Amino acid sequence: MNEMTDCSMNFQRGLRHCDGQVNIYQAVLKAFCEQYANRFCQHHSIASDALYQELHALKGLSATIGAQSLSELTESAFKNWTSMSDDSRIKALGSIQFELSQVLDEIKEYLTQNN
């Protein structure tokens, strides 16, 4: 397995979450890419409960696949969401979107190299 330096993904950690089953892990990565290929949270207003729940889901999913940085960013936003101003929420979502884009790029490269 390729392990990139200075990257957003820890593929070995994600693979451990799938009990070392490469086929299962690759399927999970593909599903993650499909789910988040379009812009994260584009269909929700900044104050919606659905966006809050989407943050919670992304927090857990990103940790499971080995995207620790993304998980931590999302966890911080999720924990503080109800006390954040709209400007702070927009800034947090921008950071999450940027990290998510990095993660998606790394997953696509990983899947290309390991298929």
Side-chain angles (χ1 to χ4, degrees):
M1 309 254 160
N2 288 346
E3 194 71 38
M4 295 183 226
T5 57
D6 202 26
C7 65
S8 298
M9 287 293 300
N10 182 328
F11 294 105
Q12 294 300 322
R13 178 181 284 170
L15 186 58
R16 281 193 303 271
H17 284 275
C18 292
D19 293 327
Q21 300 292 315
V22 174
N23 291 337
I24 292 171
Y25 183 53
Q26 288 179 349
V28 169
L29 291 175
K30 287 175 188 173
F32 183 89
C33 285
E34 289 171 10
Q35 182 170 351
Y36 292 105
N38 297 323
R39 187 170 163 79
F40 169 69
C41 75
Q42 70 181 9
H43 304 293
H44 306 298
S45 75
I46 199 77
S48 76
D49 287 338
L51 178 56
Y52 185 69
Q53 294 307 315
E54 195 169 347
L55 286 170
H56 185 264
L58 181 58
K59 173 182 68 81
L61 289 171
S62 56
T64 298
I65 65 167
Q68 193 60 37
S69 221
L70 178 59
S71 180
E72 290 169 3
L73 272 174
T74 310
E75 179 179 18
S76 176
F78 179 77
K79 281 183 178 178
N80 299 305
W81 195 254
T82 57
S83 63
M84 294 169 79
S85 68
D86 284 352
D87 286 342
S88 295
R89 288 177 177 182
I90 290 167
K91 185 176 179 180
L93 291 174
S95 296
I96 291 167
Q97 182 60 48
F98 179 80
E99 185 66 22
L100 177 59
S101 294
Q102 298 292 111
V103 165
L104 291 172
D105 288 346
E106 291 175 25
I107 290 172
K108 289 173 190 171
E109 185 175 333
Y110 171 86
L111 290 172
T112 299
Q113 292 176 0
N114 291 285
N115 274 334

